[in-house]
Amino acid sequence: MHSVRSWSLVAIAIAFIHPAFAWGPDGHRTVGTLAGKLIAGSNAATQVQAILGNESLADVAVWADCAKGVNQSTFKYEHPGVYPECKIFETPAGEAAMEDFVRRNATNCPLKPGEEICHKQYHYTDVAIQHQTYLRGFVGTRDDDIVAAVIATTHVLKGDPAPAPFNIKDKAEALRLLVHYVGDLHQPQHVGAVYLDARGNEVNPDTGTFDPGTATRGGNSIIVKSTKKNLHATWDAVPVSLTPSHVTTAWVTSAHAIAPTSGSDFDWPKRWASQSVAQANLAMSTLRFGPQTGTHWTVVLPAGYSAKMSSIKKVQLTRGGARLAQLLQDIWP
Ligand SMILES: [Zn+2]
């Protein structure tokens, strides 16, 4: 969503970045819906409701994307009426809350020239898919990436201050962000990335000298020939069967059956990210890319790819819902 970036503005200078619209609103709301059903009746559910009031986890799952509608120079929300899922936040107080968040999270991170405003960077990381694991320090990772963002919001919900560079003012803001970020962390294109040379051959950015021109911005710079959509957006979209109204009892049961992540909750996001890199590898290692033209590459998706995508999307949305529920119940046992 919020695909306001025009290709003419996307110069090679900003090759590191991508708009990061992870999962469309439906995917995020599905993660929130699953988690809400999984924690029903628990102390976590009581605490969530005390914080969110009339809003549900599914409602607030899109808040961090809606906040991208705040102009990054004037800090005014400028998308009223454009995105239906943002409507509930389009009150004077709601818009002021988004504007305040963006103002506090605009330039608080170490920004390289041409990089996106800080809060937009919280939504993703770009680990080369060859690694099949997430390790801070790999090209594409940052101290304010999606893994760090999940950890930061968890801290705030546990009563700690937000670790720098994050500026999260209270638990209500942290919870809205957490629901969204856990969703993003499970969108393979938000965590794993292919890096391509000018001929469209995959390269490993962590060997030799890194060339920023090889970054595909989470697939935003790769155009699917048949649809003219970029690969990132192709993964953001979910089929109707994976939308919130299709979260059946059977689906909730399968989410409930997902093995809880062991160890410290502050280590969980890294492990979930590693799994997403592996899923991105599964999703992209067999693709063949065309040579670079201007700022983008092309790809022809093979027969059966749509079904393969749908099955990975379902697995990842299910994990996202289950992990969000586990984290909330860890924060509020
Ligand atoms: Zn996002």
Side-chain angles (χ1 to χ4, degrees), residues 1 19-23 28 61-62 64-65 68 119-120 122-124 146 180-181 183-185 190 232 236:
M1 64 178 291
F21 312 129
W23 300 125
H28 279 289
V62 294
D65 270 346
K68 292 178 183 171
H119 77 95
K120 291 187 179 177
Y122 301 168
H123 295 238
Y124 58 88
I146 181 66
H180 184 88
Y181 296 152
D184 279 350
L185 189 55
H190 263 247
H232 185 96
D236 272 351

Side-chain angles (χ1 to χ4, degrees), residues 3 25-26 34 49 60 166 183 189-190 195 198 219 231 244 249 253 273 279 295 305:
S3 190
D26 284 336
L34 279 165
Q49 205 196 335
V60 302
F166 297 93
Q189 304 283 335
H190 263 247
Y195 289 78
L231 191 61
T249 306
T253 302
Q279 291 288 53
T295 57
Y305 194 76

Side-chain angles (χ1 to χ4, degrees), residues 104-105 108-110 122 136 143-145 147-169 174 266:
R104 282 182 281 110
N105 290 275
N108 52 314
C109 64
Y122 301 168
R136 184 73 57 83
D143 291 342
D144 57 347
D145 68 8
V147 170
V150 173
I151 293 170
T153 48
T154 302
H155 270 294
V156 175
L157 288 169
K158 288 184 165 192
D160 307 331
F166 297 93
N167 190 323
I168 301 166
K169 75 170 179 186
F266 291 116

Side-chain angles (χ1 to χ4, degrees), residues 189-202:
Q189 304 283 335
H190 263 247
V191 184
V194 285
Y195 289 78
L196 301 173
D197 67 16
R199 288 183 297 177
N201 295 317
E202 219 174 294

Side-chain angles (χ1 to χ4, degrees), residues 184-271:
D184 279 350
L185 189 55
H186 287 82
Q187 208 280 42
Q189 304 283 335
H190 263 247
V191 184
V194 285
Y195 289 78
L196 301 173
D197 67 16
R199 288 183 297 177
N201 295 317
E202 219 174 294
V203 297
N204 184 341
D206 293 289
T207 57
T209 306
F210 171 54
D211 171 6
T214 61
T216 65
R217 303 158 57 247
N220 275 284
S221 300
I222 299 170
I223 306 296
V224 177
K225 272 194 164 174
S226 57
T227 63
K228 311 285 182 229
K229 278 190 182 172
N230 74 56
L231 191 61
H232 185 96
T234 305
W235 275 91
D236 272 351
V238 298
V240 173
S241 62
L242 301 182
T243 55
S245 61
H246 290 76
V247 175
T248 58
T249 306
W251 193 355
V252 176
T253 302
S254 71
H256 190 70
I258 289 189
T261 311
S262 57
S264 156
D265 52 4
F266 291 116
D267 279 333
W268 295 350
K270 285 176 229 159
R271 295 166 66 183

